[in-house]
Amino acid sequence: MASSEMNNGAAAGMRPNHLRIATEEAWATREMLNLYRRMLAQGKIDDPGFNSLWGFYLNSPSARATAIIERLQEMGEPRIRDMDASGIDKQILMLTSPGVQVFDAATAVAVAKSSNDELADCVRRYPTRYVGMAAVAPQNPAEAAKELERGVRQLGFKGAILNSHTLGEYLDDPKFWDIFAAAEALDVPVYLHPNSPSKGLIEPLLTRGLDGAIYGFGVETGMHLLAIITSGVFDRFPQLQIVVGHLGEALPFWLFRLDYMHRATVNSRRYEFMKPLKKQVSDYLRENVFITNSGMAWAPAIMFCQQVLGMDRVLYAMDYPYQYVPEEVREMENSPLSAADQKKFYQLNAEKVFKL
Ligand code: 1DF
Ligand code: MN
C-alpha cells in the first residue's frame, strides 16, 4: 500500500483527500474586550471565574496572553495565514467565552447583535474559509431566540454559541428553553462551549489554579450538558442537536455509570424533581449530541469516543487561538483511522451537522 493511502498523505506534507473543518474556533470584537476591560477595572463583576480568566488574558504580559488577545481580534489575512500554515480549510467561528453572557441583559442583547453583524461581514469577506455561529443573550431568552433566527435567516449563520452558565444560571431551567425551541425549529445546532465554573462551583478549583481550560472548564460544561439531559430537554425537543467540545467534556467515558446511576436515582425517588426520561442518558448522547476534539489532539481518546458514540458523532476542532499547534493537525492524521473515517472526522460530519 502506498504511504499516501495509509496516512492520507499527511506525513509527507501532501494534501489529504478531505477538507479540514475546525469546528470550535474563537474570535472577539474590540467592543466586547473593551467592555471586559472596563468591568475588570471597575472590579464589580461578581464572577470569580470571569475575573480569573479575563484578568489573566487582558493583563498578563506573557507571550500566551498577548498572542491570544491579538489573534482573537484578527479576522483578516493573518488569521487566514495561520489556517493555511496548519492546513485548516474552514473555521466555524464563535464569540469567545463567556461572550455576552457576563453582561446585564440590555448590554448582552446589544453586544450579541453588534458582534453578529461584525461576524457576518467577516464571513462575507472570506465565504469559503469562515462559517459563523450566532451569539445570543440568554439573559433575555425571547430576544435570544429572535437573534438566533435573525442570525440564521438573515446572516447565514449555522447555529448558536452558548458559553455554558449565564451569571450562574444553567440551561436546564425551562425559562431558557425558548432558545432550544428556536434552534429546533430552525434545524440548527447549539454549540455548548465551556465557561469558567460558576461562582457556586468554582471555589476549590480556583484556589488550586485548576479553574480554567486545564480542568475547570470540563467540570462546568460536562455537568451542564448532563443537567440538560437529565432535566428532560431532549424529551421536550427531540430534534435538538447540541455540539460539545473537548471530546464531550469527558461524558463519553462515563456512559455506563451515567445510565446505571441515573436509573438507580430515579427509581429510588431520591430527588422528587428528577423525573424519568423516555430514554437512557447514553441514548441522548448518541442521538442528540455531537462532540468535537477541541484541545484533545489524541488519537486513543478520539477513537474511544468514536467507538462508543459512533463514527458520525465525532468532529474535528482545533480551538484556535487557544491551542494553535500546527503540528498537532498533521500528527493526528497518522492515527490508525482509515481514510474514509478521517474524512468523516475532518469534513463530512461537520458538513452534515452545520449544513455547509
Ligand atoms: C481557553 C481555552 C480559553 C478554551 C477559552 O476561551 C477557550 C484557555 C476563553 O486556555 O484559557 O475556549 N478552550 O475551549 O479550551
Ligand atoms: Mn474553546
Side-chain angles (χ1 to χ4, degrees), residues 118-320:
E118 245 185 78
L119 181 57
D121 284 341
C122 297
V123 175
R124 257 176 240 121
R125 244 171 280 135
Y126 298 98
T128 63
R129 307 304 297 275
Y130 293 164
V131 174
M133 296 288 277
V136 299
Q139 294 92 326
N140 185 334
E143 278 297 321
K146 266 205 259 172
E147 183 61 8
L148 176 54
E149 181 170 357
R150 185 182 81 96
V152 172
R153 293 242 167 96
Q154 293 176 33
L155 305 179
F157 292 161
K158 302 300 184 183
I161 169 67
L162 286 168
N163 292 297
S164 201
H165 77 84
T166 303
L167 305 171
E169 296 191 303
Y170 290 86
L171 299 163
D172 58 342
D173 185 331
K175 77 177 186 182
F176 293 118
W177 292 6
D178 279 0
I179 305 171
F180 292 143
E184 190 186 51
L186 292 161
D187 198 17
V188 294
V190 169
Y191 203 112
L192 185 72
H193 183 277
N195 189 348
S196 298
S198 62
K199 192 181 175 191
L201 184 60
I202 200 171
E203 210 265 346
L205 292 157
L206 185 59
T207 53
R208 290 163 179 81
L210 300 177
D211 51 301
I214 185 172
Y215 195 66
F217 278 22
V219 172
E220 157 76 18
T221 315
M223 191 272 303
H224 196 168
L225 178 61
L226 181 57
I228 287 171
I229 293 170
T230 58
S231 72
V233 163
F234 295 116
D235 285 347
R236 176 77 179 68
F237 305 104
Q239 302 306 314
L240 177 66
Q241 298 292 327
I242 292 187
V243 186
V244 61
H246 314 97
L247 290 179
E249 311 293 357
L251 292 190
F253 197 79
W254 281 77
L255 281 193
F256 185 90
R257 188 165 172 80
L258 291 174
D259 282 344
Y260 182 90
M261 286 299 172
H262 181 258
R263 211 161 39 235
T265 310
V266 168
N267 290 347
S268 61
R269 298 173 203 268
R270 177 168 173 177
Y271 300 105
E272 179 276 324
F273 56 81
M274 198 181 239
K275 299 284 192 287
L277 298 174
K278 288 188 180 155
K279 302 176 190 173
Q280 300 199 94
V281 171
S282 61
D283 293 328
Y284 300 103
L285 278 159
R286 292 193 180 99
E287 295 167 22
N288 296 94
V289 175
F290 290 91
I291 70 170
T292 81
N293 81 316
S294 50
M296 299 279 206
W298 190 31
I302 295 167
M303 293 171 78
F304 170 79
C305 290
Q306 290 168 326
Q307 186 189 332
V308 299
L309 296 184
M311 200 51 80
D312 298 334
R313 289 271 158 192
V314 186
L315 286 61
Y316 170 71
M318 173 181 280
D319 205 16
Y320 181 93

Side-chain angles (χ1 to χ4, degrees), residues 55-73:
F56 168 69
Y57 280 114
L58 290 171
N59 296 313
S60 165
S62 65
R64 174 172 177 81
T66 53
I68 284 173
I69 291 299
E70 191 176 313
R71 284 189 166 126
L72 279 171
Q73 302 173 83

